[in-house]
Amino acid sequence: QVRLVESGGGLAQPGGSLRLSCAASGFTFSSYAMNWYRQAPGKERELVAVISSGGSTLNYADSVKGRFTISRDNARNTVYLQMNTLKPEDTAVYYCNVRRRADYWGQGTQVTVSS
């Protein structure tokens, strides 16, 4: 069935960069929009970025506009989140998501931004 596996999280300095990946399987990847969410302890889950099925439409939360870039490679069934100019408030678990007949989520990858 549907499987989403995130990777690429870790520790970064303020102002640094990380690139997250989400490997997808179990569905026709190129037919679906993909999403990145994040959740910090004690905070509500936040939608970070959205990419349309063909990659032509991109949307971002105001908090990450100009710093993060979502992209996808439909030949590799993978969606990416390039995170630049990281801030401590970006610290969270980042989740890949697809909306099909139901919501599907990966296991999450921890991003910590600290000096």
Side-chain angles (χ1 to χ4, degrees), residues 20-76:
L20 307 184
S21 298
C22 172
S25 61
F27 64 102
T28 305
F29 181 77
S30 61
S31 295
Y32 290 89
M34 298 295 296
N35 314 297
W36 283 100
Y37 285 82
R38 67 186 182 187
Q39 188 163 29
K43 302 283 189 174
E44 290 187 19
R45 184 187 63 198
E46 176 187 21
L47 179 62
V48 173
V50 178
I51 186 166
S52 62
S53 59
S56 61
T57 302
L58 314 174
N59 290 283
Y60 301 94
D62 288 342
S63 57
V64 307
K65 279 180 183 172
R67 301 188 297 119
F68 290 12
T69 303
I70 189 170
S71 62
R72 68 192 295 159
D73 186 342
N74 283 349
R76 298 183 184 272

Side-chain angles (χ1 to χ4, degrees), residues 60-107:
Y60 301 94
D62 288 342
S63 57
V64 307
K65 279 180 183 172
R67 301 188 297 119
F68 290 12
T69 303
I70 189 170
S71 62
R72 68 192 295 159
D73 186 342
N74 283 349
R76 298 183 184 272
N77 286 1
T78 303
V79 62
Y80 305 95
L81 187 67
Q82 178 67 46
M83 306 185 294
N84 297 328
T85 320
L86 283 162
K87 304 174 179 179
E89 50 262 48
D90 295 318
T91 296
V93 178
Y94 285 71
Y95 296 95
C96 183
N97 162 266
V98 60
R99 294 200 160 86
R100 200 165 167 262
R101 293 186 63 83
D103 259 329
Y104 293 91
W105 302 87
Q107 83 287 351

